[in-house]
Structure formats: C-alpha cells, structure tokens
C-alpha cells in the first residue's frame, strides 16, 4: 500500500542522478507523494522531477545557504501544493581534507551547506507545519558524525554532520508539542556520485571489510529509511538518529 498518498514533500539536493535525495524522491513519488525537488540548478531539478512517477512534481532552483531563497521557495511550494507535510534536508557537500588543511573558507562552505542550510530550510517551513499541527522533517547526517571521520569527508564535514544531530534533537524537542517530528538519518558507505570511482579496488575492499554486511549501501536503502520517517508508520518517532550503514558501528 502507498504510504504517502495525498502528502507533499520538499527534498533539497535531489537533482543529482545517483544521489540519496533523488532515490528518496523516486520512492516518495511511488508512494503517492507530490515532490518539490530543490537544488542549485533549476533545470537539473526540473529534469529530476520529470523522472518521478505520477503528476504534479516540480523542480526549482534553491541554494539552501541563502535564507531569503529558502523563505521564498518554501512559500512558493506551500502555495503551489497547498501544504508541505514533509521536508528532507538532504543537500550536502564534502571536502576530503585533513584537520590542518581546513582553511576558513573550507569550514564556512561545508558548515554552510550541511548545517546552516538545514536550519534555514527548516525555519522556512516550520511555521506552516506548526500551524497545521503536522509535519515530518528528515535531516541527512552521516556515519562521519558518529565515527569522527569517514572516507571522503574531512573533520569539518564530521562537525557539520554532528551539528545536524544536535540540531535535529533540539528541533524535535521544541516542535513535539505541535506534532511536528524531526529525525536524522546516518548513512554509512553508500554508492553515489560522491563515492563512485573514487577508490581503488583495494581501498574499496578495505572499506567493505569494515562493514559487517560486507557490501556498500545503495541509495534506495537510505530512501527506505526516509520513507519510514516521513510516513505515519513512524508517528511516535522523533529526535532519533537512524543508522543505515550495514552494521558499520557494531
Ligand atoms: P550528491 O553530491 O549526489 O548530492 C548532493 C546534492 O546537493 C547535489 O545535487 C548538489 O547539487 C546539492 N547541493 C550542493 N550544495 C547545495 C546548496 N547550497 N543548495 C542546494 N543544493 C545543494 O550526494 P549524495 O551522496 O546523494 O548525498 C546526499 C546527502 O547524504 C548529503 O547530505 C551527504 O552528505 C549525505 N551522505 C552521503 C553519504 C554517501 O555515502 N553517499 C554518506 C553519508 C551521508
């Protein structure tokens, strides 16, 4: 049965063809949800929206680090869809830097997209969700937040993703009385454009050896978790961080 019939969602950073946001958008649409894809390039966002099953999806340009743009886009999508029930803060960037290589502009860029963007887009939608006493916000963190590092992200990426966990819990606490939920997903090693082709076969094998399930995740593994957190199946789940990592932290 469809889990999101009649619902609407905004998913940020969902234009990237093999990305976690796009896989989430595809699955949400299959479950009857109308989706607005927001990404840096409006044409790419619209092209991604055109790939989704069903009608009425839209793709729009929005830089999540731009507070005015977030407010404008949130109002636009609210007006167009009548309501936005679900927000997936998925836009993110990484930089493979070591601690001492992080320049101020690196820190700003990674904190801005991952952490500030999550706050700005949430702030743009929260008043609407609160007024309706209903909403689900899903924030994309990372195993890098929990392990203090991953394969690709630097320490500033770990800091940004750990910041998302704190922000998610604080949001969940403050919004709970209004029946607006906030949860975080911590993906492990997932095959996407971020990860594809960037490791030698030997390095890839080393990574896989550290994963109890012995395989990389697929984007749809993360999408399934987002679907659960977005839908009423998780009606009593808020402030949680859900690991999608093949057992990487066991
Ligand atoms: P991706 O690079 O394929 O997609 C990220 C998208 O964000 C791109 O479409 C990009 O254009 C968009 N984006 C970048 N800056 C933006 C901005 N300022 N405003 C709006 N959009 C912007 O990456 P992905 O692998 O699909 O990752 C999606 C999310 O999951 C990210 O937050 C990432 O940090 C996180 N994550 C990924 C993995 C993994 O293994 N791939 C693991 C853990 C967490």
């Amino acid at each position: 049965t469809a889990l999101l019939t009649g619902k609407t969602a905004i998913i940020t950073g969902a234009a990237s063809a093999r990305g976690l946001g796009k896989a989430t958008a595809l699955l949400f649409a299959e479950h009857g949800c109308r989706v607005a894809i927001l990404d840096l390039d409006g044409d790419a966002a619209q092209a991604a929206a055109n790939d989704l099953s069903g009608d009425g999806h839209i793709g729009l340009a929005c830089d999540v680090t731009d507070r005015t743009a977030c407010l404008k886009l949130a109002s636009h999508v609210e007006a167009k869809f009548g309501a936005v029930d679900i927000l997936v803060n998925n836009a993110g960037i990484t930089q493979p830097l070591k601690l001492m290589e992080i320049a101020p502009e690196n820190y700003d860029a990674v904190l801005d997209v991952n952490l500030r963007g999550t706050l700005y887009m949430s702030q743009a939608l929260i008043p609407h969700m609160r007024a309706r006493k209903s909403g689900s916000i899903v924030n994309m963190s990372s195993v890098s937040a929990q392990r203090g590092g991953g394969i690709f992200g630097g320490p500033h990426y770990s800091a940004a993703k750990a910041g998302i966990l704190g922000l998610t819990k604080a949001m969940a606490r403050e919004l709970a009385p209004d029946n607006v939920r906030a949860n975080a997903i911590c993906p492990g090693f997932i095959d996407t454009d971020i990860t594809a082709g960037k490791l030698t076969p030997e390095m890839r094998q080393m990574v896989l050896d550290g994963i109890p399930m012995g395989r990389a995740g697929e984007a749809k593994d993360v999408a399934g978790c987002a679907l659960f957190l977005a839908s009423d199946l998780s009606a009593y789940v808020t402030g949680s961080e859900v690991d999608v990592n093949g057992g990487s932290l066991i």
Side-chain angles (χ1 to χ4, degrees):
T1 51
L3 293 173
L4 301 178
T5 306
K7 302 263 191 187
T8 57
I10 285 180
I11 309 180
T12 66
S16 164
R18 295 186 57 197
L20 307 186
K22 175 76 181 289
T24 300
L26 285 165
L27 187 60
F28 279 19
E30 276 173 33
H31 279 266
C33 189
R34 212 146 34 116
V35 180
I37 288 179
L38 307 189
D39 210 304
L40 291 173
D41 180 337
D43 292 338
Q46 187 55 55
N50 292 342
D51 287 345
L52 308 183
S53 59
D55 298 322
H57 312 293
I58 50 176
L60 298 160
C62 179
D63 178 342
V64 296
T65 68
D66 178 344
R67 187 162 184 271
T68 308
C70 290
L71 288 167
K72 204 178 111 200
L73 268 291
S75 304
H76 178 82
V77 178
E78 273 276 337
K80 187 127 186 142
F81 285 177
V84 177
D85 307 294
I86 300 155
L87 167 64
V88 182
N89 284 306
N90 168 76
I93 58 166
T94 66
Q95 294 172 345
L97 300 176
K98 300 257 190 244
L99 199 53
M100 296 307 292
E101 296 167 348
I102 300 169
E105 54 272 25
N106 300 125
Y107 201 71
D108 286 345
V110 168
L111 270 283
D112 274 357
V113 180
N114 291 286
L115 190 50
R116 192 182 292 272
T118 297
L119 176 70
Y120 284 171
M121 193 49 78
S122 301
Q123 283 181 326
L125 281 168
I126 283 167
H128 302 281
M129 291 180 165
R130 271 187 153 153
R132 286 190 296 271
K133 296 267 181 277
S134 164
S136 174
I137 299 173
V138 180
N139 296 328
M140 212 55 86
S141 180
S142 169
V143 72
S144 299
Q146 303 160 306
R147 297 192 54 192
I151 307 150
F152 300 104
H156 51 341
Y157 179 73
S158 294
K161 292 304 196 186
I164 286 179
L165 295 181
L167 182 62
T168 303
K169 286 167 203 225
M171 272 169 56
R173 186 179 288 279
E174 199 173 323
L175 301 177
D178 288 321
N179 193 39
V180 177
R181 301 182 294 110
N183 292 284
I185 300 178
C186 296
F189 180 56
I190 315 289
D191 278 326
T192 65
D193 283 343
I194 283 191
T195 52
K198 292 191 183 138
L199 293 178
T200 63
E202 295 74 29
M203 280 166 72
R204 187 180 168 86
Q205 194 51 53
M206 247 174 58
V207 174
L208 296 184
D209 288 345
I211 302 173
M213 289 190 78
R215 68 167 177 92
E218 297 174 40
K220 68 177 169 58
D221 296 324
V222 177
C225 182
L227 173 62
F228 167 70
L229 292 174
S231 79
D232 291 339
L233 284 182
S234 61
Y236 200 52
V237 180
T238 196
S240 72
E241 49 187 273
V242 185
D243 296 340
V244 184
N245 63 21
S248 296
L249 290 179
I250 297 169

